[in-house]
Structure formats: structure tokens, C-alpha cells
Amino acid sequence: SGGKDSFYNLMQCVANGHEVIALGNLHPAPQDKKDELDSYMYQTVGHDVIHLYKDCLDVPLYRQEIKGRPIEQGSDYVETAMDETEDLFELLKKAKTAHPDLQAISVGAILSNYQRIRVENVCGRLGLVALAYLWQRNQEELLHEMAQAGVNAILIKIAAIGLKKQHLGRSIGDMYPYLCQMNQEYDLHICGEGGEYETITLDCPLFKRRIVIDESETVIHSDDHFAQVAYLRFKKLHLEDKTEDDMDSGWMSEMNLDPVWDADSIMMPIEDIVCSKQQLKGSDTFSKHRSDIVCAIGGTNAFEMPNFEARRHLSIAEETTACLQNVQAKLERIGLTWAEVVFMQVFVTDMGDFGVVNCAYKTFFGINPPPRACVGANLLNSIRIQVSCTAIHKEISSPNPRQTLHVQGISYWAPANIGPYSQATEQSYHAFIAGQIGMVPRTLEIPAPSSLAKETAWSLRNLSQIATVRQSDLVNRTALCIVYVTSPEDFVPVRAAWEHIASNKNPAPLLAICMPSLPKGGQVEWQVILHHGK
């Protein structure tokens, strides 16, 4: 779009080791002669600047006319003819054809689930990864960070109480104190996430040439007394070469690749607690959780049908399919479907089969598969996969519709899914959160060298991030916690970490289970059920 978020996220991508190979933009149809479209997805004001960016960065620019409109406006998105999301699909398809090595796209989304879900849908269809390093960042901290990092972006449109036409053309650095003030007085989104303002970037450390405005005019779109809507139209622009000093690559060393989150505060104490308890041993404990509205289907495998002997020579992909077919048959016998499943537990004998299992597994689910925990297990009789699931009958669920959190883009917030599952599903006042291993969100890797303390800290931190987005918390709302470890000696330290989370209150029931292996060679995985107390 040319906005501050687009280019600052691009800077984050480069600082995280990615290479920018092309730019993409969606623009209004020339024949419409409109600067601003009624789009839920795209910023179009300032489209008359976009053609200059290919020379600013010396990379190809691909543009696509916006032909669709926001037809599918639900909380989820499926491919819909003539929806404006399909214009993004065509743009990225064009770029991928021209660049077969294209692997990911940079997305400047901060808060909009609507935009994130649609971008991730398109990426999934094209085999691309969304890199969204700004996702869920604190906006006050983020805007200050952008200005300090050398992003010279100016306000090109205003549409909120407190913002006037005289603010157009001012930089985000100049406007930062005023935007913070407006946030305090009117709850204005400091980064403009509520559509309060739009920006256009004239310079940033990635640019080899900066954009200079020679002539512009102010267009009043709506002269509302309380919230005037106005934007800049550029009549004459030119590029100005930057000196080598201007393009000093030292900016990367100053980039914030480890933003602070509220949940980070639990990490250091947890590391210390786990380290102090690792040499201690304790007795096993068990906890139980039961609800009349929940239906559970116990361990199911591929070899439960009359012709199970014929299935002994199945590949792992075929065995996974047969296993899930058996689960589906059991669901149907009690009047349930996959759409009512709120959690899955998948046990495999060999974590090396993780990728193949996922490919077969995902064919049974739609765009929002249920959360799950996947762990290694010593299964009997040469069985390689076993599945259990929990479901809630639609007719006895709460009046509130089912909500799913399914974030697939890479960010600093919490790990993207590494398989066909969602981070959380909320139904009947319960939130079921997928098993969290100790991955670092921006790399999706386990911390090295191997450390139970660090993995415990990261996994609980990530669990807390997901719970917070669901407007809940681990301390007061956990009904049941299950922790998987790979050594019985880890029971004591992980229990101590869980008790620390409880902040000296009575901790929620904890079931600790020792398993042979966990995804990515991890040492600990946590899953929880939260209750909203209603």
C-alpha cells in the first residue's frame, strides 16, 4: 500500500534474514477515477505514488486492479468469486509465476483479523508463508519504533475526531505525541488501526532513492464537523538519489527483533524455577475434569474395522486416513460431525512421520481445524497413529457462536501453527488451546542449546499470549492443564513452573505425562482448557 506498516514490516523481514525480491500492489481501476475505494482490505489513497517504489528499492513491481468488492464479510473466509480478496490471489499468483522461488509475503497487519485471515487464506492456496512481524504489537511502542528506525511516512488521509486537514503531510515522528494524546482523549488507535488515518512512505532505510513531493492538493471527502475526512492527492513527484551514508546498513543492528510483551515477564522466573528443581524427584499426580456437555471419543486407530488385518500393510499416510475415518464413523454414530470437535489429541510412534501425517490429517477439516496436541507414544501392536477427540453438541452449546483463533503468519506474538490445527477454539464458555511447545515465534525453532528451562519458559509464555487474545488468563480461568514431558525427572520442575504461574493461588489441576517424543524434538508441551466463569 505504501504505508508505514508495509515498509516497516518489510524492514523487519530483511532484519530477520529474508530477501526482498519483488513488490506487489492493488489499485483502483483507472476508468473509475477514484482515489479511495470502499475496500475492507486495501489502502488505495496514494496509489499515484506506488509506481515509484520499484525504483526506490530496485526490485520489480507487480500491480493488480481491484475488480472485486467485500462480498464474504464473515469472520472466516472461503474462496468467493468477485470478492476483493481474489484480486490479491491473482496478484500473488502473477508474482509467483514470475518468481518461482517466491516463498513468503510481507504483511503489515497489526490488529485486523479480517485482513489477516484473508491474506493467510490466499497464502495457503499458493503455498506461501505470511510474515507479519507487527501482529498484535503495542501500537504506542510500535509507532515510536517506526519513527526512530528511519521510516519517513506522512499522513495522507485523516478520518477521525481530533484529526484535521492541517495534519496531512506531517510525518509520523512529528505526529507521535499528538496521536498518543488523541488515544488518551478519544481512544484513537495510535497506528490508525481503526481507519483513523492512512500514511504514505517517502523514505526508509531500504530505499536507494527517496520520494520528494513537488506539488499536492488537499481533497475534502467529507467536511464533518466532528471527524473531517480528507486526503492528499499528489500532482508532481520526483526521486532523489541517496548517498552511501544515507544507505548505511547499520540500521539492521538497531532493529527491535525481540519486542517486549506482557507475557515475557513470566519467562525468567520460570527458567530459574525449572533449573532449581531439575535435580529433585517427586510422586506422580493425576487430575480429572468432567463436563456433562462434552463428548469424548477415546483412543481410535486404523485397525478397528472388520477388515483390519488387510490394513496391516498400510503406509503411514493410509493408516492416518483410515484412523480418522474410524473417528468420523464414531462421531456420526453419536450424532456429531467434525465441525463440533473442539480438541484433538494425536499420538504417533515416530515423530519423523509428522509431515506425512499432517498431509493426510488436514484433508478431514475445513479452514479452521480444531486445536490439538501431537505427541510421540509407545503404541501397541505396531500401531503408528492413535487419535482421541473432544466434541460439544451444537444443541447444548452456549448462545454465542463458536470462535476460532487460527493464526498462520510468522510474527513475534506467538508461534504460527506448524500443522493443520488452530491455536484455540472457544465454545460453551470454554476455550481449548492447542499444545504449545517451546518454540521461538519469529523462527519457529526450539531454543538452542537444548534447555528444559528455556523451553518451559517459552511454551508457557506462548500459552499466555494465546489466552490473552481470547480475553482470558491462565491464572484464574484454567480448568485443566496437561503437560507432556520426555523424562519423568522433569515432573517436579514443570509442576513448580505451573505453580509459579498460579501466583501463590491454588493452581488449576495439572496432569503431567511422560511421552517418548514431542514435535521438533522438544522437551515439554502444554495444553489447557480455560473456563470463562459464566
Side-chain angles (χ1 to χ4, degrees):
S1 69
K4 64 186 187 329
D5 306 335
S6 293
F7 279 111
Y8 189 62
N9 194 74
L10 204 62
M11 290 172 63
Q12 288 282 346
C13 290
V14 172
N16 276 284
H18 302 285
E19 178 188 357
V20 181
I21 61 174
L23 300 174
N25 169 258
L26 293 112
H27 63 88
Q31 62 270 22
D32 291 342
K33 296 182 179 180
K34 290 183 178 180
D35 295 315
E36 180 77 326
L37 297 183
D38 185 20
S39 170
Y40 291 11
M41 281 287 290
Y42 314 117
Q43 172 185 323
T44 55
V45 65
H47 65 90
D48 43 358
V49 179
I50 302 298
H51 67 283
L52 296 173
Y53 287 129
K54 67 180 186 298
D55 296 317
C56 292
L57 278 80
D58 274 348
V59 295
L61 169 66
Y62 298 92
R63 305 193 72 182
Q64 174 73 29
E65 181 182 309
I66 301 171
K67 300 177 181 177
R69 52 192 178 85
I71 296 173
E72 174 52 78
Q73 298 180 23
S75 58
D76 296 317
Y77 181 79
V78 293
E79 184 177 346
T80 303
M82 295 309 297
D83 189 279
E84 60 182 351
T85 303
E86 299 308 310
D87 296 319
L88 176 61
F89 178 86
E90 293 301 321
L91 172 65
L92 295 181
K93 181 180 177 182
K94 184 194 308 181
K96 191 171 183 181
T97 299
H99 303 272
D101 55 344
L102 178 64
Q103 297 176 318
I105 66 168
S106 172
V107 185
I110 299 174
L111 198 60
S112 172
N113 273 309
Y114 184 93
Q115 294 172 350
R116 176 188 61 78
I117 287 167
R118 282 150 181 77
V119 170
E120 290 178 351
N121 175 278
V122 170
C123 286
R125 287 152 58 189
L126 291 170
L128 299 172
V129 174
L131 303 175
Y133 293 109
L134 313 187
W135 179 245
Q136 292 289 322
R137 287 285 308 275
N138 176 283
Q139 293 186 47
E140 183 175 350
E141 174 188 283
L142 181 58
L143 190 64
H144 182 263
E145 196 176 288
M146 289 182 191
Q148 292 296 307
V151 177
N152 180 19
I154 62 170
L155 271 63
I156 190 176
K157 178 187 174 184
I158 52 97
I161 188 169
L163 293 177
K164 303 296 181 182
K165 65 180 181 180
Q166 56 263 35
H167 293 128
L168 293 171
R170 293 184 58 183
S171 71
I172 56 173
D174 290 341
M175 288 294 295
Y176 176 74
Y178 185 73
L179 292 170
C180 291
Q181 178 187 339
M182 291 299 98
N183 171 257
Q184 293 294 320
E185 294 183 11
Y186 302 116
D187 202 26
L188 175 144
H189 289 80
I190 295 175
C191 283
E193 284 299 286
E196 294 92 340
Y197 69 92
E198 305 282 3
T199 62
I200 202 76
T201 304
L202 304 179
D203 192 14
C204 81
L206 296 176
F207 285 16
K208 297 178 181 179
R209 301 169 187 86
R210 62 173 61 91
I211 298 172
V212 179
I213 303 170
D214 297 311
E215 187 180 353
S216 65
E217 63 179 357
T218 299
V219 178
I220 305 299
H221 186 72
S222 172
D223 202 13
D224 186 273
H225 178 70
F226 292 102
Q228 187 180 57
V229 179
Y231 63 89
L232 289 180
R233 178 184 292 145
F234 299 112
K235 303 179 74 173
K236 187 177 180 182
L237 303 155
H238 75 271
L239 294 177
E240 180 179 277
D241 288 334
K242 296 170 68 172
T243 66
E244 289 190 11
D245 289 341
D246 291 335
M247 295 186 290
D248 182 8
S249 61
W251 64 268
M252 281 194 284
S253 64
E254 299 177 3
M255 287 289 286
N256 183 7
L257 304 184
D258 190 19
V260 176
W261 305 81
D262 290 344
D264 292 347
S265 62
I266 69 175
M267 293 182 67
M268 187 59 70
I270 286 175
E271 285 191 42
D272 294 339
I273 289 167
V274 171
C275 287
S276 69
K277 300 288 186 180
Q278 276 187 278
Q279 305 305 317
L280 303 178
K281 297 184 182 294
S283 60
D284 298 348
T285 60
F286 297 87
S287 302
K288 296 181 180 179
H289 176 77
R290 181 177 180 179
S291 171
D292 292 335
I293 66 171
V294 175
C295 301
I297 292 178
T300 300
N301 59 63
F303 310 111
E304 299 183 359
M305 307 301 285
N307 62 339
F308 71 93
E309 285 298 336
R311 296 185 172 183
R312 288 295 180 188
H313 303 291
L314 296 178
S315 67
I316 182 60
E318 293 169 332
E319 186 173 336
T320 301
T321 298
C323 174
L324 289 168
Q325 286 173 340
N326 287 344
V327 175
Q328 182 172 311
K330 291 181 179 180
L331 287 168
E332 291 172 351
R333 283 201 293 272
I334 57 176
L336 294 169
T337 67
W338 288 118
E340 292 163 290
V341 173
V342 293
F343 199 86
M344 302 279 287
Q345 287 174 303
V346 179
F347 304 93
V348 295
T349 56
D350 183 358
M351 272 296 166
D353 293 330
F354 188 76
V356 178
V357 167
N358 282 340
C359 287
Y361 179 98
K362 69 182 181 182
T363 62
F364 286 81
F365 302 98
I367 55 177
N368 288 322
R372 77 176 189 193
C374 182
V375 297
N378 294 319
L379 302 176
L380 301 176
N381 301 322
S382 301
I383 293 170
R384 289 175 291 179
I385 179 170
Q386 180 173 298
V387 173
S388 299
C389 72
T390 303
I392 296 178
H393 278 289
K394 288 181 179 178
E395 58 266 26
I396 56 176
S397 64
S398 69
N400 299 322
R402 172 172 169 157
Q403 298 290 325
T404 301
L405 180 67
H406 187 202
V407 180
Q408 303 169 72
I410 295 175
S411 68
Y412 296 116
W413 164 70
N417 303 316
I418 57 171
Y421 61 91
S422 299
Q423 278 94 348
T425 289
E426 186 178 321
Q427 191 168 353
S428 294
Y429 308 119
H430 286 78
F432 300 81
I433 298 183
Q436 296 297 308
I437 58 175
M439 287 191 297
V440 179
R442 73 182 181 93
T443 64
L444 298 184
E445 297 295 341
I446 300 291
S450 179
S451 164
L452 175 67
K454 289 189 179 298
E455 288 186 39
T456 302
W458 273 108
S459 53
L460 285 172
R461 176 260 189 206
N462 296 335
L463 200 66
S464 180
Q465 289 281 77
I466 295 169
T468 300
V469 168
R470 297 314 308 155
Q471 298 181 334
S472 193
D473 68 88
L474 296 179
V475 176
N476 299 307
R477 297 302 186 192
T478 299
L480 174 67
C481 176
I482 300 175
V483 59
Y484 301 98
V485 294
T486 55
S487 169
E489 295 180 354
D490 297 338
F491 285 154
V492 171
V494 297
R495 185 182 301 125
W498 183 245
E499 290 170 352
H500 172 77
I501 290 289
S503 302
N504 299 319
K505 299 181 180 180
N506 292 327
L510 174 69
L511 172 62
I513 308 172
C514 183
M515 308 300 290
S517 59
L518 296 174
K520 287 186 170 286
Q523 297 184 59
V524 61
E525 178 172 349
W526 301 80
Q527 73 175 82
V528 297
I529 301 173
L530 304 175
H531 190 275
H532 285 198
K534 297 177 181 177

